[in-house]
C-alpha cells in the first residue's frame, strides 16, 4: 500500500513507519518540519497540521492515512493555555485530514487515528473493553472529541480505526525513559497507593498491532492498544526494580504528585484496567503480553551495569 503518515517522526509514529516498511508498504511523511528526522524513502509532504493545503491534492495517490499527531500530554502543567494546545493539536489535525479525505477522488480506504485509554477516565477495578463508557475527566473528553473527528470519515465510506493507546514502553523515549532515573538512583517505587491499574504496551507490539489492523479488512471502530495483562502500579515498579537490580522501597504520595503536577497527576494516578478484547477477537496474537519480558526487551539497549 501507499500510506500517508502524520506524526511519522514521533515516538510512536516512527516505530509504526519501521513496521510498515518491513512489510513492504510505501510511506510518505506528512510533516511540519523541512527536514524530517525519520529516514523515509525521501517522500515528504508539508502541512501546518490545521488545514487542508497543497498536500491534500496528493491524497488520491494513497490507500491509507495514519494519524499520530498530538502535543505530548505530560509536557508541562495543564494550564488553560496548555489544555487548549493539547486539544487543538489533536482535533484540528484530525479534522484537516478528514476534510482532505472528503475532497479526494478517489479516496483512501482506511484511516487509523490515534487515541488513548485516557478515554475511560479513572475506573478503579472495573475491567474496560472497547464498548465501555467514556469517563468525564479532561483527558476523557479530549479523547472523545478526538475520536469524534476521526469518526466523521466513516460517513465517507472509509474504514476508520480508533487506536486507544495505553502506556507505551520503548527504548528511545516515552514513559519508560522518564522512569529510569529514580530507579537508577535507588529511589524508585510505586506512585500514590500503587493500587491503580496500569495498562501498558511495548512500542514494537503497538506498531505490529497497528499494521495488523491496517491490513485486516474486518478491523474497524475502536481498538484498545494495550497488553492483555495489565498490572497494578506497585507490581510495575517492583518488576522494573528487579530487572534493574535496584531497590523498590520509596513511594511518591498522591498528595505530593498532585501538588507538583496539578491536574496532570491523573496520568499517573488514574486506574485503568484495559483489555484489548477486539484485537484478540479478530485474531491478533500478542508477542509481548508479559510485563517482565517486555521490560527486558526494552532495556536491552541500556547496559544494566549503568544502573
Amino acid at each position: 500500500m501507499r500510506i500517508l503518515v502524520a506524526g511519522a517522526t514521533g515516538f510512536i509514529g516512527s516505530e509504526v513507519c519501521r513496521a510498515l516498511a518491513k512489510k513492504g508498504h510505501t510511506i510518505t511523511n506528512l510533516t511540519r518540519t523541512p527536514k524530517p528526522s525519520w529516514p523515509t524513502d525521501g517522500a515528504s509532504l508539508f502541512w501546518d497540521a490545521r488545514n487542508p493545503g497543497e498536500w491534500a491534492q496528493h491524497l488520491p495517490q494513497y490507500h491509507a492515512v495514519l494519524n499520530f499527531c498530538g502535543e505530548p500530554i505530560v509536557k508541562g502543567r495543564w494550564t488553560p493555555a496548555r489544555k487548549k494546545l493539547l486539544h487543538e493539536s489533536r482535533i484540528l489535525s484530525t479534522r484537516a485530514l478528514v476534510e482532505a479525505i472528503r475532497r479526494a477522488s478517489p479516496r483512501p480506504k482506511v484511516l487509523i487515528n490515534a487515541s488513548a485509554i485516557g478515554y475511560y477516565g479513572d475506573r478503579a477495578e472495573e475491567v474496560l473493553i472497547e464498548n465501555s463508557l467514556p469517563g468525564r475527566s479532561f483527558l476523557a473528553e479530549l479523547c472523545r472529541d478526538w475520536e469524534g473527528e476521526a469518526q466523521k470519515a466513516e460517513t465517507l465510506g472509509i474504514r476508520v480505526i480508533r487506536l486507544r493507546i495505553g502506556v507505551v514502553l520503548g527504548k528511545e523515549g516515552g514513559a519508560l525513559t522518564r522512569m529510569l532515573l529514580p530507579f537508577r538512583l535507588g529511589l524508585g517505587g510505586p506512585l500514590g497507593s500503587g493500587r491503580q491499574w496500569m495498562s501498558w504496551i511495548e512500542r514494537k507490539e503497538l506498531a505490529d498491532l497497528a499494521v495488523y489492523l491496517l491490513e485486516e479488512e474486518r478491523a474497524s471502530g475502536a481498538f484498545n492498544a494495550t497488553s492483555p495483562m495489565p498490572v497494578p502500579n506497585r507490581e510495575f515498579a517492583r518488576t522494573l526494580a528487579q530487572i534493574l537490580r535496584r531497590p523498590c522501597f520509596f513511594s511518591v504520595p498522591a498528595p505530593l504528585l498532585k501538588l507538583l503536577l496539578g491536574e496532570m497527576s491523573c496520568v499517573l494516578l488514574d486506574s485503568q484496567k484495559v483489555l484489548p478484547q477486539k484485537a484478540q477477537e479478530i485474531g491478533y496474537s500478542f508477542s509481548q503480553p508479559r510485563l517482565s519480558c517486555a521490560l527486558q526487551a526494552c532495556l536491552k539497549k541500556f547496559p544494566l551495569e549503568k544502573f
Side-chain angles (χ1 to χ4, degrees):
M1 295 186 196
R2 291 180 55 84
I3 301 170
L4 184 65
V5 182
T9 61
F11 178 61
I12 293 172
S14 59
E15 188 68 28
V16 172
C17 286
R18 279 189 282 269
L20 289 168
K22 287 180 180 178
K23 294 294 292 289
H25 298 293
T26 301
I27 304 155
T28 297
N29 179 11
L30 189 59
T31 179
R32 291 178 293 173
T33 58
K35 293 182 179 180
S37 61
W38 186 79
T40 65
D41 58 4
S44 295
L45 295 174
F46 302 99
W47 73 327
D48 64 3
R50 288 174 174 262
N51 303 286
E54 185 178 346
W55 60 271
Q57 300 173 15
H58 301 273
L59 209 55
Q61 303 174 22
Y62 295 95
H63 303 101
V65 177
L66 276 60
N67 179 25
F68 296 101
C69 283
E71 188 71 17
I73 288 290
V74 292
K75 184 180 179 181
R77 292 175 70 93
W78 288 352
T79 63
R82 181 67 184 168
K83 284 184 173 181
K84 181 180 179 183
L85 180 60
L86 292 173
H87 191 270
E88 288 184 349
S89 68
R90 288 160 173 78
I91 304 308
L92 297 183
S93 60
T94 306
R95 185 177 296 166
L97 286 168
V98 172
E99 175 59 20
I101 291 171
R102 185 187 68 78
R103 298 180 186 182
S105 180
R107 292 168 177 156
K109 302 297 183 184
V110 187
L111 169 64
I112 295 183
N113 204 81
S115 181
I117 60 171
Y119 175 93
Y120 300 109
D122 187 7
R123 305 291 276 270
E125 298 288 326
E126 181 182 354
V127 174
L128 301 168
I129 57 175
E130 285 84 356
N131 63 5
S132 297
L133 295 175
R136 297 182 179 179
S137 64
F138 165 71
L139 272 185
E141 293 176 0
L142 174 61
C143 292
R144 185 189 62 200
D145 293 347
W146 196 7
E147 293 188 19
E149 292 295 330
Q151 282 181 283
K152 292 176 182 178
E154 293 176 345
T155 64
L156 305 174
I158 307 300
R159 180 165 63 93
V160 177
I161 295 164
R162 293 168 280 131
L163 208 56
R164 293 176 184 161
I165 301 170
V167 177
V168 182
L169 306 178
K171 298 174 182 177
E172 292 93 14
L176 183 58
T177 300
R178 291 189 290 271
M179 295 174 190
L180 288 177
L181 180 59
F183 280 91
R184 175 184 180 182
L185 298 175
L187 301 175
L191 303 175
S193 69
R195 293 191 296 270
Q196 69 272 27
W197 284 89
M198 288 183 64
S199 296
W200 60 274
I201 188 168
E202 193 267 330
R203 184 169 66 147
K204 184 177 181 301
E205 183 88 78
L206 171 58
D208 290 344
L209 174 60
V211 174
Y212 182 89
L213 296 177
L214 172 68
E215 296 176 340
E216 174 53 71
E217 294 185 358
R218 295 175 298 163
S220 65
F223 281 84
N224 290 333
T226 61
S227 162
M229 301 178 69
V231 297
N233 176 265
R234 60 190 171 195
E235 182 178 336
F236 185 99
R238 189 162 51 242
T239 304
L240 180 57
Q242 288 173 349
I243 293 172
L244 295 176
R245 306 188 191 113
R246 285 292 183 263
C248 189
F249 298 139
F250 293 89
S251 63
V252 184
L256 179 58
L257 284 171
K258 292 177 182 179
L259 178 64
L260 293 174
L261 303 177
E263 188 180 356
M264 192 178 72
S265 63
C266 71
V267 176
L268 304 175
L269 297 173
D270 282 0
S271 181
Q272 295 161 333
K273 190 177 184 180
V274 181
L275 299 181
Q277 178 173 291
K278 282 182 62 179
Q280 292 182 307
E281 285 179 347
I282 64 169
Y284 183 78
S285 178
F286 283 81
S287 61
Q288 290 283 16
R290 293 185 179 278
L291 178 64
S292 58
C293 296
L295 285 175
Q296 286 170 349
C298 290
L299 294 171
K300 281 181 180 179
K301 188 171 183 177
F302 299 101
L304 291 183
E305 54 266 23
K306 286 187 177 182
F307 302 94

